[in-house]
Amino acid sequence: MYGVNLRAPMRIMRQVLKVMVAAGRGSVINIGSSWSSRASVFNQDGGGIDYCSAKAALQSLSRAAAQDVAPYGVRVNAIAPGAVDTPMHAHHRDYLFEYERYIPLGRMEVAEDLVGPAIFLASDAGAYVTGQTIHVNGGLIMVD
């Protein structure tokens, strides 16, 4: 769980940040999870403690990296989706949709819901945003 959700992004960032710092610009967007800010009662079959803590560590890594590279014109942020209806959930899709009733916006999240926030963070529209985690979960997990 930590290899995929923390070590892999860390290794990738080490390489790309060198290039971005040298260029004096760039934007890294890590894909976290809303479970990084609130442990998940709903995610016990999806990794539970290991998953939630790995994603929390990725959120913290994103903030720490943002602080390190900000002086060089590079931004690091994260997007934290909730439960997303993807082919990965095909074998338990009915179970996934049991939680739809808890989502204030009234529907299950789809991958396309992440496009707008990613474009914002990657573009000049997000030029003054760094070290942040944007939760995209339909209100399922309200964070401070």
Side-chain angles (χ1 to χ4, degrees), residues 83-102:
V84 182
D85 183 19
T86 66
M88 178 178 78
H89 297 293
H91 68 286
H92 62 265
R93 195 163 185 261
D94 292 341
Y95 178 71
L96 177 72
F97 273 81
E98 287 180 23
Y99 300 100
E100 189 173 44
R101 65 179 173 217
Y102 300 110

Side-chain angles (χ1 to χ4, degrees), residues 131-143:
Q132 303 302 306
T133 297
I134 297 179
H135 288 265
V136 182
N137 56 47
L140 176 63
I141 299 175
M142 302 285 180
V143 296

Side-chain angles (χ1 to χ4, degrees), residues 40-52:
S40 170
V41 174
F42 306 129
N43 193 41
Q44 296 314 305
D45 294 331
I49 292 169
D50 295 343
Y51 180 82
C52 295

Side-chain angles (χ1 to χ4, degrees), residues 30 32-39 55-56 59 63 77-83 105 109 113-114 117 121 131-144:
N30 287 314
S33 171
S34 286
W35 309 134
S36 64
S37 293
R38 297 286 191 267
K55 290 299 192 175
Q59 183 173 327
R63 276 193 310 267
N77 293 289
I79 294 175
L105 287 181
E109 184 171 1
D113 291 321
L114 303 172
L121 289 173
Q132 303 302 306
T133 297
I134 297 179
H135 288 265
V136 182
N137 56 47
L140 176 63
I141 299 175
M142 302 285 180
V143 296
D144 302 332

